[in-house]
Amino acid sequence: EVQLQASGGGLVQPGGFLRLSCAASGLAFDAYTIGWFRQAPGKERVGVACISSGDGDTKYSDSVKGRFTISRNNAQNTVYLEMDSLKPEDTAQYYCAAVFDYSGRAYCPPSGMGYWGKGTLVTVSS
């Protein structure tokens, strides 16, 4: 059974830092592209960052580019999302998701992700 477990959310002040983790099991992790998505109250779920299988090519949404960093540790079946210079508008439930793709592309369409984990809540507020 494939499982994705997101963790690391919490309450942080504007300008602060958080690191989210996504631990995966039940899949050949290094053959999967992994994405982070977020959903704010009353809004649609949107992609935040994506990391490919293989060499770990990355892609970010314009709203987080330069502030967030996605990385992966294939030996530990874990993907990280480091979030710096956090803003109140970053407040959302954050989800990780996986899709089997050994092409090396950082392509994470929300409708195309095969597996989803439960979210972790990030609240940015003073």
Side-chain angles (χ1 to χ4, degrees):
E1 178 187 6
V2 175
Q3 290 189 336
L4 299 173
Q5 181 64 54
S7 61
L11 173 64
V12 62
Q13 292 187 342
F17 175 89
L18 275 178
R19 188 175 82 156
L20 305 183
S21 299
C22 175
S25 61
L27 73 172
F29 184 75
D30 56 358
Y32 279 74
T33 292
I34 309 294
W36 282 99
F37 301 80
R38 68 186 182 187
Q39 187 168 19
K43 296 188 176 181
E44 292 185 352
R45 187 176 300 185
V46 296
V48 173
C50 180
I51 188 164
S52 71
S53 61
D55 291 339
D57 187 30
T58 59
K59 190 173 290 184
Y60 300 90
S61 67
D62 288 342
S63 62
V64 307
K65 198 172 297 181
R67 299 187 298 122
F68 290 12
T69 302
I70 188 171
S71 62
R72 65 189 297 157
N73 183 328
N74 289 335
Q76 296 185 346
N77 285 11
T78 302
V79 168
Y80 302 98
L81 184 68
E82 295 183 325
M83 307 185 295
D84 203 358
S85 302
L86 282 161
K87 305 174 181 180
E89 52 263 42
D90 294 318
T91 295
Q93 195 81 3
Y94 283 71
Y95 301 86
C96 60
V99 60
F100 178 71
D101 184 353
Y102 53 82
S103 71
R105 302 176 304 164
Y107 181 59
C108 295
S111 62
M113 305 306 286
Y115 302 99
W116 289 85
K118 294 181 180 178
T120 184
L121 180 62
V122 173
T123 304
V124 185
S125 175
S126 55

